[in-house]
Amino acid sequence: MAYVAPVRDYQFLFENVFKTDQYSNLKGFADADAGTVAAILEEAAKFAEEVVHPINITGDKEGCTLDPITHEVTAPKGYKEAYKALTEAGWTALSGDPQYGGQGLPHFVNTAFSEMLSGASSAFGMYPGLTEGAISALTAGGTQAQKDLYLPKLISGEWSGTMNLTEPHCGTDLGLLRTKAVPNGDGSYKITGQKIWISAGEHDFTSNICHLVLARLEGAPAGVKGISLFLVPKFIPDADGNPGERNSLQCAGLEHKMGIHGNSTCVMMYDEAKGFLLGAENEGLKIMFYMMNNARFGVGLQGLAIGHAALVAANQFAKDRLQGRALTGPKSPELPADSILVHPDVRRMLLESRALIEGGRAFLAWVSLQADLAHVSEDEKEREKASDYMGLLTPVIKAYLTDKGLKVTQDAMQVHGGSGFTEHFPASQYMRDVRITLIYEGTNGVQALDLVGRKLPSKGGRALQTFLGEIDSYIAAEEADTKVPAYIKALKDTKAKLFDGTMWLMQNGMGNPDAAAAGSLDYLHLFGLTCTAYMWARMAKEAQAQIDAGATDPFFDTKLKIGRVFLERILPDAEAHLIKMKAGSDGLMALTDDQF
Amino acid sequence: MAYVAPVRDYQFLFENVFKTDQYSNLKGFADADAGTVAAILEEAAKFAEEVVHPINITGDKEGCTLDPITHEVTAPKGYKEAYKALTEAGWTALSGDPQYGGQGLPHFVNTAFSEMLSGASSAFGMYPGLTEGAISALTAGGTQAQKDLYLPKLISGEWSGTMNLTEPHCGTDLGLLRTKAVPNGDGSYKITGQKIWISAGEHDFTSNICHLVLARLEGAPAGVKGISLFLVPKFIPDADGNPGERNSLQCAGLEHKMGIHGNSTCVMMYDEAKGFLLGAENEGLKIMFYMMNNARFGVGLQGLAIGHAALVAANQFAKDRLQGRALTGPKSPELPADSILVHPDVRRMLLESRALIEGGRAFLAWVSLQADLAHVSEDEKEREKASDYMGLLTPVIKAYLTDKGLKVTQDAMQVHGGSGFTEHFPASQYMRDVRITLIYEGTNGVQALDLVGRKLPSKGGRALQTFLGEIDSYIAAEEADTKVPAYIKALKDTKAKLFDGTMWLMQNGMGNPDAAAAGSLDYLHLFGLTCTAYMWARMAKEAQAQIDAGATDPFFDTKLKIGRVFLERILPDAEAHLIKMKAGSDGLMALTDDQF
């Protein structure tokens, strides 16, 4: 039931599919040639499997503890030591800016590491994950002095970070927030209010915790135009930049949750706590969105990572569990029964899951490569395109990958049969852990609204046009002499449905925003299927090329067999999504409130 | 967040849709006229809402306790009192045979009550639920003396029952079981072995517990042909039929489970315990199947019941939660925000859920009516048909309703947003509780195999032909002058897909059982969609008829609006299921064990 990191899969993606060596002239990429990346991935896998995974189940059972007197939080046994090992090995600094002590490797390497960390223990992985969000906000909106003070300690992992958005009466609708900020006159502010569901809000393994807090200045405009972002450290840095005076903030309670028990989900109370403005007054949301987009990508990754971990456990269980006989006659007549791997429906669950995970992983890796290109490409057009893709695809990454992650954990439990429902096997924890990913950082419904209402129309639809154009060009280039025609045909069909759905949105959603919203999640799924069909076409091409070139590694043959399952059993959902979205909103809006 | 029982819906089904008054000449039905049933349903709802539901959340948090010395199990606080109230009010005897103290009401009345009980607290509802299974086994296979001794006490609820099938190394594959039975020479047997996952296996609210245990006699044929069924009471009844000597069996441990914490899931140890044969030696499975079919129907009901309860909570939450504004402009400008009910995607989740639940409920009620007709109809053809339907549709009820029950609880959690993931709201418990229904009494994959491999070919396909014939006749009778043409058309289309899938199975599954198995779950879903499309056509017809006749109850208008959502947003899945099943098994079987 051990965790096995997807090393080989990432090697294939970077080396064969995305050929990242082609970018060796770009900043950061020079140190990330195929050989180096392969070595890093091996080390990352070892760390995830041997250091982090052992504390996953115990952390779930033990949970976090709040001391009611001191308001300090203790994470489960072993977390502190694992975090120490994480920072000492330099994993938190992998893609950090070298100017602040980071290793400056491309994001796609960090994505691979993060999937392994999160798959080995999602609750543990969230601690450094939240810090990454804080780093992105500081990078986007901090002054040089703030960067100099905070970034090195956040990148090294000596300090950690959090995001404080939600209040009891508002989550999605941030315009309603009430936390107050009052200027102290010295450039700092007094922050007062209550924030809830603050992941990693308080714990015992860093010497400081930097809370990024949304608050409202007195007299600020109503709604989202009056929100500012503050950095509120647990210990106020002294003149030397070391943790000084204890700030007047504390964890007032821990949330009782269905899963991710190892992560401390805190109610945070700020009582005239000292905070420092990030960016301009009333423009907090702009910076928060850098952090949020980073977090959304991270949540999509988490959904995929937990799905992968659950699938590993299910594969293992299916091989070990002897029950019944193959319908075509005993496969292991020397044993009392065959393994349940002989049953087509068990294989269906395992292989559909794998098709989703491997397609999703390629999608994730491809988008993280865009994050690199958006920053370091020397071609302005390529930077613009990569940046457009990041914006367009982040909600798809978040919602599509977490929805499929949940499906995979459900099937992993189903493969386990009755054992899956008990807490003696890991299936239940994976399912309980993954469930939050469909909710936090904006529910999947909110992601769909972001895609349809904001990302599609942005800049006259430029991002979408570029994306569809890329797929059309790929099909045109491959169609004539492809060695994997089924994949090209499937991509063409799915992309045509996405185009059809987009046209429907343009014709119906403009005049009636409810119509666009009613179909938005189905549209997002159609989008996710198109992205992963594109990834499968590219993976199949390279796997086939390796086989044709005489490669004997069974990895390539397996890849094509998994791809076939994707074409046969995942893509048929595209048509249903298209039909459902075209049903529009009239049926949904027809009921009065009383009829619910 | 309170539970609200679906009284009105059942009244509509019995009175308007199935017109159960037409059977008033049949045994049991005379006492179940529309007025009486309506009154019973009102009382049942009151009992479920006021007596049972209050212990649901506390039972989840507290769970059951095993005394390590006495091996007695204590159920959560309030369970014992609620059980006492249940039996005193006579609810366990509702459809019991009057010969043994039952009230003799039709099963469909008991189905409505059971849904309410299970929806109010599924963990609690399992205690009397398991007893119902024991009653059906005794009724099918007990001697007259056994019936006289046990049935009155089981029907009154004074004693309870359990099912003991699973052992650590075997669940689905009962042929592997090892529990031994040795004749004592006096007609009784010594039972020795370990059984796991025994729901309601030990508790503190009945004076005796009757365990029905599968075991193997020495020298019995290998596999399923050598299994016998024994009744092994916790206390051996004395000459007067009262609980006498304590039998040598005990609960050796409680299972740690993801959900249904209020039900004691026991490891049972039998150490030369005294048992009494039910039916003939080596023919235990035959009787066990009566019990099992009863249990499978009960599990389908449970999936639906929990789904309904979760939907009630989600509806309530959506009305109360103020967040954001309607896309078409504020609906409640006097409030800081609109309720989330204004958002099309929230409505989509609530209404899809409701379309699934109300269609599923009709399906459940209709099949339970078949259980009555199979027993008491005076027309031999009708008895045969009803019995055929019970066999054919039980796996569909079990797997389709539980799968949809899970979908509904998932969406109920999603509607709750972050609150849903915390244990302060009921969404998490509903999701954790419902999850077992896809697994126990045969996983949903096993149900699909039962449908395709056993139920379809049974008696030359008679049951299926009759069922498809009924739908064809219904369409033919309605088509010309229906007032709800969209439903007739949808039924016709969906049934055509089911027919298509059936033909495919006949052509491909005969020669290759793997092909049939690979598509079996998709086929089962296609079947479930056809059944519920049939139910929606019948419900829509009656709702429309009421409106046309001038009824002003908004219930009928609401019903048609929900039905529209079923047509627009649930039925499009049928085509995807058909395409997936036709993919066959080649892709799934192509991988070697090493490739997993």
Side-chain angles (χ1 to χ4, degrees):
Chain A
M1 240 65 65
Y3 175 73
V4 182
V7 175
R8 185 70 187 86
D9 222 28
Y10 274 112
Q11 286 172 344
F12 170 66
L13 289 171
F14 295 149
E15 190 178 332
N16 303 115
V17 183
F18 303 127
K19 301 180 174 41
T20 51
D21 277 352
Q22 71 183 294
Y23 305 112
S24 60
N25 59 318
L26 302 183
K27 194 178 146 202
F29 281 78
D31 300 324
D33 59 280
T36 307
V37 170
I40 294 174
L41 292 178
E42 292 286 358
E43 279 307 305
K46 222 170 121 179
F47 184 80
E49 293 166 2
E50 296 173 14
V51 178
V52 178
H53 191 59
I55 56 171
N56 192 44
I57 293 176
T58 51
D60 176 59
K61 298 212 191 305
E62 186 186 341
C64 298
T65 322
L66 172 69
D67 185 315
I69 310 298
T70 64
H71 293 272
E72 301 286 321
V73 170
T74 310
K77 199 159 165 277
Y79 268 49
K80 193 172 179 170
E81 293 72 18
Y83 186 83
K84 190 158 175 266
L86 179 85
T87 54
E88 282 179 358
W91 289 116
T92 59
L94 209 55
S95 298
D97 188 338
Q99 204 183 331
Y100 304 105
Q103 296 173 41
L105 285 164
H107 286 97
F108 73 80
V109 181
N110 192 45
T111 293
F113 172 72
S114 296
E115 195 217 305
M116 295 178 191
L117 188 71
S118 197
S121 175
S122 60
F124 177 80
M126 288 168 68
Y127 290 99
L130 267 294
T131 304
E132 278 188 42
I135 291 169
S136 65
L138 266 157
T139 304
T143 62
Q144 192 56 48
Q146 287 174 327
K147 290 180 187 175
D148 291 341
L149 175 56
Y150 291 98
L151 283 180
K153 295 206 157 79
L154 290 169
I155 286 172
S156 72
E158 190 181 338
W159 294 359
S160 62
T162 74
M163 287 171 69
N164 287 241
L165 287 73
T166 306
E167 300 181 6
H169 64 288
C170 77
T172 302
D173 189 358
L174 290 169
L176 300 175
L177 71 79
R178 293 179 194 148
T179 296
K180 272 191 324 187
V182 178
N184 285 324
D186 63 353
S188 71
Y189 296 78
K190 279 192 193 65
I191 311 294
T192 304
Q194 184 188 10
K195 295 285 182 178
I196 62 168
W197 303 340
I198 308 309
S199 299
E202 177 60 55
H203 55 78
D204 55 340
F205 37 82
T206 56
S207 59
N208 206 356
I209 301 175
C210 302
H211 301 287
L212 294 191
V213 183
L214 288 184
R216 185 181 291 286
L217 285 156
E218 210 170 340
V224 293
K225 287 178 181 157
I227 297 176
S228 306
L229 179 62
F230 298 89
L231 198 167
V232 190
K234 180 176 171 185
F235 294 97
I236 300 159
D238 63 18
D240 303 324
N242 296 315
E245 189 191 344
R246 178 68 161 86
N247 210 343
S248 50
L249 59 93
Q250 65 182 22
C251 170
L254 291 176
E255 207 65 56
H256 297 280
K257 314 179 298 282
M258 186 168 76
I260 51 165
H261 294 159
N263 200 274
S264 61
T265 307
C266 301
V267 176
M268 296 299 299
M269 300 293 299
Y270 296 88
D271 182 13
E272 303 200 337
K274 192 167 197 168
F276 306 95
L277 188 70
L278 266 186
E281 289 190 349
N282 300 331
E283 293 188 7
L285 275 194
K286 222 191 290 174
I287 305 166
M288 186 52 97
F289 264 108
Y290 281 95
M291 189 154 164
M292 183 81 94
N293 280 331
N294 181 296
R296 288 177 172 178
F297 181 86
V299 171
L301 176 148
Q302 193 182 15
L304 180 88
I306 301 174
H308 169 80
L311 175 58
V312 167
N315 273 326
Q316 186 69 51
F317 184 89
K319 285 182 185 178
D320 292 346
R321 177 75 172 168
L322 306 181
Q323 201 78 177
R325 290 293 185 187
L327 294 167
T328 50
K331 286 280 181 295
S332 309
E334 73 288 2
L335 296 175
D338 292 334
S339 85
I340 59 171
L341 208 51
V342 302
H343 300 302
D345 190 59
V346 170
R347 286 175 168 250
R348 179 190 62 73
M349 291 188 277
L350 295 173
L351 295 175
E352 284 181 9
S353 295
R354 190 145 161 204
L356 289 169
I357 293 295
E358 293 186 6
R361 178 175 293 127
F363 180 32
L364 189 79
W366 181 64
V367 174
S368 78
L369 188 58
Q370 306 305 317
D372 288 313
L373 297 176
H375 287 107
V376 301
S377 173
E378 288 162 357
D379 173 356
E380 193 192 323
K381 266 283 170 213
E382 190 171 33
R383 283 202 307 278
E384 177 185 286
K385 178 185 133 183
S387 177
D388 279 354
Y389 278 12
M390 288 295 292
L392 179 69
L393 299 175
T394 295
V396 184
I397 286 277
K398 197 281 184 182
Y400 177 80
L401 293 188
T402 58
D403 190 272
K404 296 309 182 193
L406 176 62
K407 179 187 180 324
V408 169
T409 63
Q410 292 286 5
D411 276 345
M413 174 170 284
Q414 202 64 16
V415 168
H416 279 77
S419 302
F421 193 68
T422 73
E423 299 286 355
H424 302 297
F425 287 80
S428 163
Q429 183 185 352
Y430 288 131
M431 207 192 101
R432 290 184 289 99
D433 283 354
V434 83
R435 190 59 186 79
I436 188 60
T437 64
L438 286 81
I439 298 174
Y440 61 11
E441 306 312 337
T443 62
N444 286 0
V446 168
Q447 304 301 321
L449 275 185
D450 179 49
L451 174 65
V452 164
R454 199 174 298 161
K455 300 301 171 58
L456 285 193
S458 169
K459 296 173 189 142
R462 188 177 76 189
L464 180 73
Q465 282 167 29
T466 313
F467 174 77
L468 294 178
E470 173 171 344
I471 293 184
D472 285 340
S473 306
Y474 185 81
I475 294 169
E478 295 292 322
E479 216 165 12
D481 60 352
T482 177
K483 299 287 189 299
V484 289
Y487 291 84
I488 301 301
K489 183 179 176 307
L491 175 60
K492 198 171 178 178
D493 289 352
T494 312
K495 185 252 149 191
K497 291 192 175 76
L498 178 65
F499 186 74
D500 186 349
T502 309
M503 289 299 108
W504 187 92
L505 276 181
M506 285 178 63
Q507 283 153 21
N508 296 275
M510 302 276 217
N512 178 10
D514 279 342
S520 60
L521 198 63
D522 280 304
Y523 179 78
L524 184 146
H525 276 283
L526 194 47
F527 215 118
L529 288 172
T530 306
C531 293
T532 40
Y534 180 37
M535 293 298 115
W536 269 111
R538 294 179 64 172
M539 290 195 287
K541 176 186 174 179
E542 298 306 327
Q544 188 63 56
Q546 293 292 325
I547 291 170
D548 293 345
T552 55
D553 185 344
F555 176 87
F556 302 110
D557 175 56
T558 306
K559 186 61 79 181
L560 291 173
K561 287 173 176 169
I562 303 292
R564 177 177 173 182
V565 175
F566 179 81
L567 301 182
E568 289 183 349
R569 295 184 179 270
I570 303 297
L571 280 185
D573 288 333
E575 177 75 12
H577 286 303
L578 183 61
I579 293 173
K580 289 177 192 180
M581 71 170 285
K582 286 186 176 179
S585 59
D586 292 354
L588 303 179
M589 306 314 283
L591 286 89
T592 63
D593 287 9
D594 294 342
Q595 291 183 304
F596 279 86
Chain B
M1 241 64 65
Y3 174 73
V4 182
V7 175
R8 185 70 188 86
D9 221 27
Y10 274 112
Q11 286 172 345
F12 171 65
L13 290 172
F14 295 149
E15 190 179 331
N16 303 115
V17 182
F18 303 128
K19 301 178 176 36
T20 52
D21 277 352
Q22 69 181 295
Y23 304 113
S24 61
N25 58 317
L26 302 183
K27 196 179 145 200
F29 281 79
D31 301 325
D33 60 279
T36 307
V37 170
I40 294 173
L41 293 177
E42 294 284 359
E43 279 306 305
K46 223 170 121 180
F47 184 80
E49 293 167 1
E50 296 173 14
V51 178
V52 178
H53 190 59
I55 56 171
N56 192 45
I57 293 175
T58 50
D60 177 59
K61 298 212 189 308
E62 186 186 340
C64 298
T65 321
L66 172 68
D67 185 316
I69 311 297
T70 64
H71 293 273
E72 302 285 322
V73 171
T74 308
K77 199 159 163 278
Y79 269 49
K80 194 173 179 171
E81 294 72 19
Y83 186 82
K84 191 157 175 266
L86 178 84
T87 54
E88 283 178 358
W91 290 116
T92 60
L94 210 55
S95 297
D97 188 339
Q99 206 183 330
Y100 304 103
Q103 296 174 42
L105 285 164
H107 287 97
F108 74 78
V109 182
N110 191 47
T111 292
F113 171 72
S114 297
E115 194 218 305
M116 296 177 191
L117 188 71
S118 196
S121 175
S122 60
F124 178 80
M126 289 169 68
Y127 290 98
L130 267 294
T131 305
E132 278 188 44
I135 291 170
S136 66
L138 267 157
T139 304
T143 61
Q144 191 56 48
Q146 286 172 329
K147 289 180 188 177
D148 290 342
L149 175 56
Y150 291 96
L151 283 180
K153 295 205 157 79
L154 289 169
I155 287 172
S156 72
E158 190 181 335
W159 294 359
S160 63
T162 75
M163 288 170 68
N164 286 241
L165 287 73
T166 305
E167 300 181 7
H169 64 289
C170 76
T172 302
D173 190 358
L174 290 169
L176 300 174
L177 69 80
R178 291 178 195 150
T179 295
K180 271 191 326 188
V182 178
N184 285 325
D186 62 355
S188 71
Y189 295 77
K190 280 192 192 67
I191 311 295
T192 304
Q194 184 189 10
K195 295 285 181 178
I196 62 168
W197 302 342
I198 308 308
S199 299
E202 177 62 56
H203 54 80
D204 57 340
F205 35 82
T206 56
S207 59
N208 206 356
I209 301 175
C210 302
H211 301 287
L212 294 191
V213 183
L214 288 184
R216 185 181 290 286
L217 284 157
E218 211 171 337
V224 293
K225 288 178 180 155
I227 296 176
S228 305
L229 179 61
F230 298 89
L231 197 168
V232 191
K234 179 176 172 186
F235 294 97
I236 300 159
D238 64 18
D240 303 323
N242 295 317
E245 190 191 343
R246 178 68 161 84
N247 210 344
S248 50
L249 60 93
Q250 64 182 23
C251 170
L254 290 177
E255 206 66 55
H256 296 279
K257 314 179 298 282
M258 186 169 75
I260 51 166
H261 294 158
N263 200 275
S264 60
T265 307
C266 301
V267 177
M268 294 300 298
M269 299 293 299
Y270 295 88
D271 182 13
E272 302 201 339
K274 192 167 196 167
F276 306 97
L277 188 69
L278 265 186
E281 289 189 348
N282 301 331
E283 293 189 7
L285 275 194
K286 222 190 289 174
I287 305 167
M288 188 50 99
F289 264 109
Y290 282 95
M291 189 152 162
M292 183 80 96
N293 280 330
N294 179 296
R296 287 178 173 179
F297 181 86
V299 172
L301 175 149
Q302 193 182 15
L304 179 87
I306 301 174
H308 170 80
L311 175 58
V312 167
N315 273 326
Q316 186 69 49
F317 185 89
K319 285 182 186 180
D320 292 346
R321 177 75 173 169
L322 306 182
Q323 201 79 178
R325 290 294 185 189
L327 294 168
T328 50
K331 285 278 181 299
S332 309
E334 74 287 3
L335 296 174
D338 292 334
S339 86
I340 60 171
L341 208 50
V342 302
H343 300 302
D345 190 60
V346 170
R347 288 176 166 249
R348 179 189 62 72
M349 292 188 276
L350 295 173
L351 295 175
E352 284 182 7
S353 295
R354 190 145 161 206
L356 289 169
I357 293 294
E358 294 187 5
R361 179 175 293 127
F363 180 31
L364 189 80
W366 181 64
V367 174
S368 78
L369 188 58
Q370 307 305 316
D372 287 313
L373 296 177
H375 287 106
V376 301
S377 173
E378 288 161 357
D379 173 356
E380 194 192 321
K381 267 283 170 213
E382 191 171 33
R383 284 202 306 278
E384 178 185 286
K385 179 186 131 180
S387 176
D388 279 355
Y389 278 14
M390 288 294 295
L392 179 70
L393 300 175
T394 295
V396 184
I397 285 277
K398 197 282 185 183
Y400 178 79
L401 293 188
T402 59
D403 190 272
K404 297 308 182 192
L406 176 62
K407 178 186 181 326
V408 169
T409 63
Q410 293 285 5
D411 276 345
M413 175 170 285
Q414 202 64 17
V415 168
H416 278 77
S419 302
F421 193 68
T422 72
E423 299 286 355
H424 302 297
F425 286 80
S428 165
Q429 183 185 352
Y430 288 132
M431 207 192 101
R432 290 184 289 97
D433 283 355
V434 83
R435 191 58 187 79
I436 187 60
T437 65
L438 286 81
I439 298 174
Y440 62 12
E441 307 311 337
T443 62
N444 286 0
V446 168
Q447 305 301 321
L449 275 184
D450 180 48
L451 174 66
V452 164
R454 200 173 298 162
K455 299 302 173 57
L456 285 194
S458 170
K459 296 174 189 142
R462 190 178 73 188
L464 180 73
Q465 282 168 30
T466 312
F467 174 77
L468 295 177
E470 174 171 341
I471 293 183
D472 285 339
S473 305
Y474 185 81
I475 294 169
E478 296 291 321
E479 216 165 14
D481 61 350
T482 178
K483 298 287 189 301
V484 289
Y487 291 84
I488 302 300
K489 183 179 176 308
L491 176 59
K492 199 171 177 177
D493 289 352
T494 311
K495 185 250 148 191
K497 291 191 174 78
L498 178 65
F499 185 75
D500 186 348
T502 309
M503 290 299 107
W504 187 92
L505 276 181
M506 285 179 62
Q507 284 154 21
N508 297 275
M510 301 275 217
N512 178 11
D514 279 342
S520 59
L521 198 65
D522 279 305
Y523 180 78
L524 184 145
H525 275 283
L526 195 46
F527 214 118
L529 288 171
T530 306
C531 293
T532 41
Y534 181 38
M535 294 297 115
W536 269 111
R538 294 179 63 171
M539 290 194 287
K541 177 186 173 178
E542 298 303 328
Q544 189 63 57
Q546 293 292 325
I547 291 169
D548 293 345
T552 54
D553 185 345
F555 176 87
F556 302 111
D557 175 56
T558 306
K559 186 62 77 179
L560 290 173
K561 286 173 176 168
I562 304 293
R564 177 178 173 181
V565 175
F566 179 81
L567 300 182
E568 290 183 348
R569 294 184 180 268
I570 303 297
L571 280 185
D573 288 333
E575 178 75 13
H577 287 303
L578 182 63
I579 293 173
K580 289 178 193 180
M581 71 170 284
K582 286 187 176 176
S585 59
D586 292 354
L588 303 179
M589 306 315 283
L591 287 88
T592 63
D593 287 9
D594 294 343
Q595 292 183 303
F596 280 86

